[in-house]
Amino acid sequence: MDNQQSIEQEKRPYVKAELKRMIFHKEEEAFSIASVKVLETTENLKMEELIVKGHFTPLEEGETYIFHGYFEHHKKFGEQYVVEEYRRLLPETKDGLIAYLSSELFDGVGKKTAERIVETLGENAVPRILSDKQVLDQVPKMSAKIKDKLYYSLTEHQGFERVMVELTKHGLGLKTIQKIYGAFGDKTLDILEEDPYQFVFTVEGFGFHRADELARHRNLTHDHPTRIRAGCLYTLHQNLQAGHIYLPLETCLLEMEQLLHHPGESPLTYEQLSGEVIHLGEEKYVYIEEDRIYLPTLYFAENGFVTQVERILSGEMEVDFTQAELLKVIGSIEEEETMSYGKEQFEAIETALKKKMMVITGGPGTGKTTVIKGLLHAYSKLEDCSLDPKDYTKDVPFPFVLAAPTGRAAKRMNESTGLPASTIHRLLGWDGHQTFEKDSTNQIEGKILIIDEFSMVDMWLSNQLFRAIPSDMQVVVVGDEDQLPSVGPGQVLADLIASDVIPLIQLIEVYRQKEGSKIIHLAHAIKNDTCTLDMLKKEQDFNFIHAPDSRLNEVVTNIVAKAHEKSIDMKDIQVLAPMYRSETGIHEINRSLQNRVNPGSKNKREIEWKGNIFRKGDKVIQLVNQPEEGVFNGDIGEVAAIFRAEENIDHVEQVVVEFDTKEVTYSKKELSNIMLAYCTSIHKSQGSEFSIVVLPVTYQYNRMLKKNLLYTAVTRAKQSLILCGDPQAFIKGIRTKDTNQRYTYLQEKLKKETDFTYDEDEEDEALSPYDFM
């Protein structure tokens, strides 16, 4: 079939175009942007020149291509065509084919040689050569060297298109195909036929089940060695999502056996499974320590973090102030702030000032924020350094570095201290992919680093952060170990605390409870396992509204609607739930609340995308990181405007969302990056606080009702907490501990590898007035 026939028979929309120039190509991601001249198209396109972008290799100027994809509007560069599949068109005439083969693309092939090739092999010469290199032996007066060079060049220029055509039949996207071809080149199709499990080892994102499906069509046996190895990697990746750093060997083998078993086939033996795991270890696809099996990234992250902690602890630390000077400074701060520090709070400030690294932990109302603020002021006075960033230059950087895992937590740090605070990702200069500007060779500048909400920080990010901390910087880690652990693998805060290698001050005394806060009282009752049904009685800042499952959504909606009618800002009231899908799940509650507090009308604009409706005034949450726009996963904003295609120069429908400090514009296809946020998940709320929290509780959430989850939800409320649903379900939940143990060896490694072990008894015996409080 010639090119023109194949184009005419295309059922999918296409753009036939000639490459004018390559604009951009990023080798490591195989991502390209090019300018093309449109020759023919079935797309709704009027422009003669078009920008195409996608995961493809650099194209050749003057060559003609067929592109399949879709249009996307770029905020800065306008209309662009996103390529999902493409192929190069070969010349359609005999003379054109001769000109093609004798072009500078094929070194050593002149016009006469090209004529002989076409005369001998016909106008299908190129596909014939690619299918069987030996056909070139039929061409007279052609040296072996020229044959090899021509075949290699044709494979290089046409090989990817052949691979792409074959792999797209199996549902693979262009980005994944690029990764596969980049790893295996012209051997890709051979590997596809002989052993598709090879793709699992080399290509990030190529899953075991996809390889298994390809292998079944090619009759590979269920006990094929690479199938067993791929099953091991899949098992480790699946458990990574459950928060595990490693898997015990026996656990890993058991899960592999369950994954790899084929009905009707004999079970795989222990020797078969363990033998292939050992092979993976020898090839460094996994790392094996005693009976622990790690993926490489987590092996290096765990060991790397231990190394960085040891380095920081062993750095020189000079305390150039006396106890009397410290007491004087604390006293002056108390006078300025018209408050008094408790004994634990004073010890926390003192320890942070005297030690290279420390951990401060405590529940709500114990004064963690008060300690952070007091520490900053005490450091400023003792070191005679200003708290105003304007007093510093590039040569003399601001000494105070404040960071938190989320934007909202960083904003709270800024509001409570008056000092700049950023997310950890922004502090490290994350590019949105896998690169951080700050690392062991380009470290953070400053003298003291305070990291809040550290329970949310996973093993990967902890290692990356600590690599970037200079040895002469003091580090203060702050968090509540009873909250949910990080979404990513590990439980770094809990392991730091349990290791006993770092000074720890636990703030136990509750101050806000003395001011009559039922929320704080309830949180500590949950924390200490003393909460009972009697404690769920109505108070000034707390209420539990009984509601059957059939009316729970309605009750939640009425609570929020009444608050809205009283002119309470939707930013100040937040519904939290643990599950997305159920009659009382996040999606249903959001739909109900949207229809009640922001209903549709003729005068209110709205836009529909994949079954979801967004209206002007809707509360929404960002679902993915977009560092180029300055918004991150978990940021909450409000739909400020909706524009029709004819109302803007970009000629596409747009939604503008206003976040705290910026506006972000979304095209219609980008609306999958946000969702309604009248109700959000408890996990998404970590690091945030809200004036009013509404928390539905029902046995429908049964598998999610755990102590740490409910504790986290309760501690998000600052002024008012309203529980609704079934009190018995709540009590059952707070008495159910999360028994899903995370496999991590960080605690043991810190104890073993770090020479310094902190012992409170070794502290200076000098007494202070706080010892008598």
Side-chain angles (χ1 to χ4, degrees):
M1 182 184 292
D2 62 28
N3 289 327
Q4 190 58 41
Q5 285 177 315
S6 64
I7 293 172
E8 289 172 355
Q9 292 183 19
E10 284 285 2
K11 295 180 180 179
R12 296 170 297 169
Y14 68 87
V15 174
K16 177 183 176 183
E18 177 186 317
L19 179 72
K20 293 188 64 180
R21 64 187 177 93
M22 291 297 298
I23 297 173
F24 173 81
H25 178 69
K26 192 170 184 179
E27 187 67 35
E28 56 268 32
E29 296 182 13
F31 181 80
S32 299
I33 303 174
S35 174
V36 299
K37 178 182 178 181
V38 178
L39 303 176
E40 180 183 323
T41 182
T42 55
E43 296 275 14
N44 183 18
L45 178 66
K46 297 180 180 179
M47 58 185 77
E48 294 183 359
E49 292 185 13
L50 180 66
I51 299 298
V52 296
K53 66 179 182 181
H55 295 276
F56 51 84
T57 54
L59 308 178
E60 298 291 337
E61 286 190 22
E63 292 290 306
T64 303
Y65 298 85
I66 289 288
F67 299 102
H68 299 283
Y70 59 89
F71 283 101
E72 180 178 272
H73 189 83
H74 191 282
K75 299 177 180 66
K76 186 175 181 181
F77 300 111
E79 203 78 3
Q80 298 180 339
Y81 198 66
V82 181
V83 178
E84 294 181 306
E85 187 181 334
Y86 75 98
R87 73 176 189 275
R88 183 198 308 256
L89 288 183
L90 293 176
E92 298 174 0
T93 65
K94 182 177 179 180
D95 289 341
L97 185 57
I98 291 170
Y100 172 69
L101 290 173
S102 60
S103 70
E104 60 183 22
L105 291 175
F106 306 105
D107 185 32
V109 180
K111 184 175 181 182
K112 290 185 178 180
T113 301
E115 288 174 346
R116 287 195 296 272
I117 293 171
V118 176
E119 287 292 338
T120 304
L121 302 178
E123 294 180 17
N124 287 327
V126 172
R128 288 185 65 189
I129 296 167
L130 287 169
S131 297
D132 181 9
K133 178 185 173 183
Q134 304 304 318
V135 298
L136 287 171
D137 293 340
Q138 303 172 26
V139 181
K141 298 181 182 181
M142 195 172 181
S143 69
K145 183 179 179 180
I146 296 299
K147 291 176 188 176
D148 288 341
K149 290 175 72 173
L150 174 61
Y151 178 76
Y152 176 80
S153 297
L154 277 173
T155 301
E156 184 179 13
H157 293 295
Q158 296 287 330
F160 176 73
E161 283 90 333
R162 293 174 65 226
V163 169
M164 180 178 60
V165 168
E166 184 62 31
L167 291 183
T168 51
K169 295 177 184 176
H170 300 286
L172 297 178
L174 194 53
K175 184 175 182 178
T176 301
I177 295 171
Q178 275 285 6
K179 290 179 181 179
I180 294 172
Y181 191 76
F184 298 103
D186 59 354
K187 297 179 181 177
T188 299
L189 295 182
D190 292 335
I191 291 171
L192 174 66
E193 292 302 317
E194 297 168 9
D195 185 7
Y197 296 109
Q198 291 287 342
F199 298 152
V200 178
F201 305 129
T202 309
V203 181
E204 183 182 355
F206 195 97
F208 170 80
H209 289 297
R210 174 164 279 166
D212 218 26
E213 181 182 350
L214 293 173
R216 277 199 298 272
H217 290 302
R218 286 153 180 82
N219 298 318
L220 267 72
T221 60
H222 83 291
D223 59 353
H224 194 285
T226 53
R227 180 173 186 263
I228 298 174
R229 295 171 204 162
C232 176
L233 294 183
Y234 175 81
T235 298
L236 291 172
H237 276 286
Q238 287 297 104
N239 279 278
L240 174 157
Q241 295 175 30
H244 300 306
I245 300 293
Y246 71 88
L247 276 186
L249 176 61
E250 294 299 325
T251 302
C252 186
L253 295 179
L254 177 62
E255 293 191 19
M256 286 171 59
E257 198 280 327
Q258 294 170 346
L259 170 72
L260 297 168
H261 179 65
H262 267 180
E265 301 279 1
S266 57
L268 296 168
T269 67
Y270 180 92
E271 288 73 21
Q272 285 176 301
L273 296 170
S274 60
E276 298 307 331
V277 170
I278 291 170
H279 181 87
L280 285 173
E282 292 169 349
E283 297 293 322
K284 304 300 183 187
Y285 285 111
V286 301
Y287 280 78
I288 304 173
E289 276 188 348
E290 298 175 354
D291 67 338
R292 301 182 299 278
I293 305 174
Y294 293 82
L295 288 169
T297 58
L298 289 170
Y299 173 81
F300 289 117
E302 187 175 77
N303 286 298
F305 181 75
V306 173
T307 300
Q308 302 309 326
V309 169
E310 185 176 22
R311 172 182 61 83
I312 293 166
L313 287 175
S314 61
E316 292 186 8
M317 173 74 190
E318 293 184 10
V319 178
D320 54 3
F321 58 85
T322 66
Q323 190 74 3
E325 288 172 328
L326 174 60
L327 289 169
K328 182 179 178 181
V329 163
I330 293 296
S332 67
I333 295 172
E334 289 177 329
E335 288 181 10
E336 292 168 7
E337 300 292 328
T338 62
M339 50 83 71
S340 296
Y341 293 108
K343 183 174 183 288
E344 294 167 350
Q345 294 175 327
F346 173 80
E347 288 174 352
I349 295 171
E350 179 184 28
T351 306
L353 291 168
K354 290 183 176 181
K355 300 296 179 181
K356 279 303 308 293
M357 183 176 172
M358 78 162 298
V359 176
I360 300 172
T361 183
T366 56
K368 295 190 296 293
T369 301
T370 301
V371 168
I372 292 173
K373 192 173 178 182
L375 168 59
L376 293 167
H377 283 274
Y379 189 101
S380 170
K381 291 176 183 291
L382 289 166
E383 298 294 333
D384 193 24
C385 54
S386 171
L387 285 166
D388 189 347
K390 295 178 182 177
D391 293 335
Y392 296 86
T393 63
K394 187 176 181 181
D395 296 329
V396 184
F398 190 55
F400 306 100
V401 184
L402 277 59
T406 67
R408 295 182 72 84
K411 183 184 177 187
R412 280 172 41 217
M413 285 188 87
N414 166 251
E415 291 171 346
S416 63
T417 64
L419 299 184
S422 72
T423 64
I424 296 172
H425 285 88
R426 188 170 295 169
L427 174 66
L428 296 175
W430 181 54
D431 69 352
H433 301 284
Q434 295 181 340
T435 305
F436 292 86
E437 179 187 341
K438 298 294 183 182
D439 55 21
S440 57
T441 60
N442 179 28
Q443 294 181 317
I444 300 164
E445 293 182 325
K447 292 297 182 183
I448 182 167
L449 168 65
I450 303 175
I451 317 154
D452 200 6
E453 297 286 356
F454 199 72
S455 64
M456 297 176 64
V457 185
D458 64 29
M459 190 71 262
W460 285 317
L461 187 57
S462 296
N463 180 48
Q464 188 65 42
L465 172 61
F466 275 64
R467 288 179 66 221
I469 297 173
S471 297
D472 62 350
M473 179 178 275
Q474 290 176 255
V475 181
V476 180
V477 171
V478 184
D480 184 347
E481 77 274 22
D482 290 308
Q483 287 189 25
L484 289 168
S486 57
V487 174
Q491 47 186 31
V492 183
L493 177 63
D495 285 341
L496 274 176
I497 292 169
S499 71
D500 288 330
V501 301
I502 296 165
L504 167 69
I505 297 294
Q506 292 179 300
L507 302 177
I508 298 172
E509 187 173 358
V510 181
Y511 295 89
R512 268 191 276 165
Q513 187 173 323
K514 295 175 181 177
E515 299 165 10
S517 172
K518 178 59 179 286
I519 300 170
I520 302 298
H521 177 68
L522 180 63
H524 282 272
I526 296 171
K527 184 183 179 86
N528 299 321
D529 298 320
T530 58
C531 184
T532 63
L533 278 171
D534 292 339
M535 293 183 181
L536 304 182
K537 295 175 181 176
K538 185 176 181 180
E539 299 279 353
Q540 184 176 349
D541 61 348
F542 172 80
N543 196 8
F544 199 123
I545 300 174
H546 295 238
D549 289 354
S550 60
R551 293 195 60 236
L552 188 54
N553 197 328
E554 176 190 349
V555 170
V556 170
T557 302
N558 287 338
I559 292 168
V560 178
K562 287 179 181 177
H564 182 62
E565 290 166 5
K566 294 179 180 178
S567 300
I568 292 175
D569 196 317
M570 284 294 100
K571 294 177 183 177
D572 295 326
I573 183 167
Q574 185 63 53
V575 181
L576 300 177
M579 294 175 65
Y580 284 91
R581 293 178 179 85
S582 77
E583 294 176 4
T584 52
I586 293 167
H587 293 316
E588 285 301 320
I589 292 175
N590 268 324
R591 291 188 188 100
S592 178
L593 282 169
Q594 181 193 45
N595 290 332
R596 185 71 174 274
V597 303
N598 193 29
S601 69
K602 293 181 180 179
N603 300 322
K604 185 179 293 182
R605 289 197 174 180
E606 63 179 46
I607 186 171
E608 189 270 339
W609 173 246
K610 293 186 175 180
N612 298 308
I613 294 174
F614 296 98
R615 298 187 182 112
K616 182 180 178 182
D618 271 336
K619 183 179 182 179
V620 295
I621 186 170
Q622 180 77 13
L623 299 176
V624 297
N625 292 317
Q626 290 181 243
E628 70 280 1
E629 299 286 356
V631 290
F632 296 87
N633 187 353
D635 287 352
I636 292 178
E638 181 181 311
V639 176
I642 297 175
F643 293 107
R644 300 188 181 99
E646 64 271 17
E647 294 177 333
N648 59 78
I649 59 174
D650 299 327
H651 305 296
V652 293
E653 291 179 281
Q654 294 178 335
V655 173
V656 179
V657 177
E658 182 180 350
F659 293 95
D660 286 332
T661 58
K662 60 186 67 65
E663 287 188 347
V664 178
T665 301
Y666 300 83
S667 66
K668 194 168 186 177
K669 287 185 177 179
E670 292 172 324
L671 292 179
S672 55
N673 292 350
I674 59 175
M675 66 172 277
L676 293 176
Y678 300 103
C679 179
T680 65
S681 73
I682 297 170
H683 280 89
K684 291 278 188 189
S685 74
Q686 275 190 281
S688 302
E689 285 185 345
F690 307 94
S691 296
I692 304 170
V693 166
V694 181
L695 178 63
V697 184
T698 166
Y699 278 112
Q700 285 190 18
Y701 302 151
N702 190 37
R703 66 182 181 86
M704 297 292 291
L705 291 179
K706 303 286 174 62
K707 174 181 173 179
N708 57 0
L709 187 83
L710 293 172
Y711 174 79
T712 300
V714 166
T715 55
R716 300 309 91 202
K718 288 195 296 184
Q719 297 175 7
S720 181
L721 172 66
I722 303 170
L723 301 181
C724 45
D726 189 337
Q728 293 288 353
F730 180 77
I731 294 297
K732 180 180 182 294
I734 62 174
R735 290 177 180 171
T736 304
K737 293 186 179 180
D738 192 346
T739 56
N740 295 322
Q741 174 198 359
R742 290 193 170 194
Y743 291 117
T744 157
Y745 212 64
L746 179 61
Q747 177 192 152
E748 291 81 0
K749 287 181 178 179
L750 284 167
K751 287 179 177 178
K752 181 179 178 182
E753 303 296 334
T754 308
D755 294 332
F756 173 74
T757 300
Y758 180 66
D759 186 350
E760 289 181 341
D761 294 335
E762 294 178 4
E763 285 294 284
D764 194 338
E765 291 296 326
L767 297 177
S768 78
Y770 291 89
D771 291 307
F772 301 97
M773 290 183 175

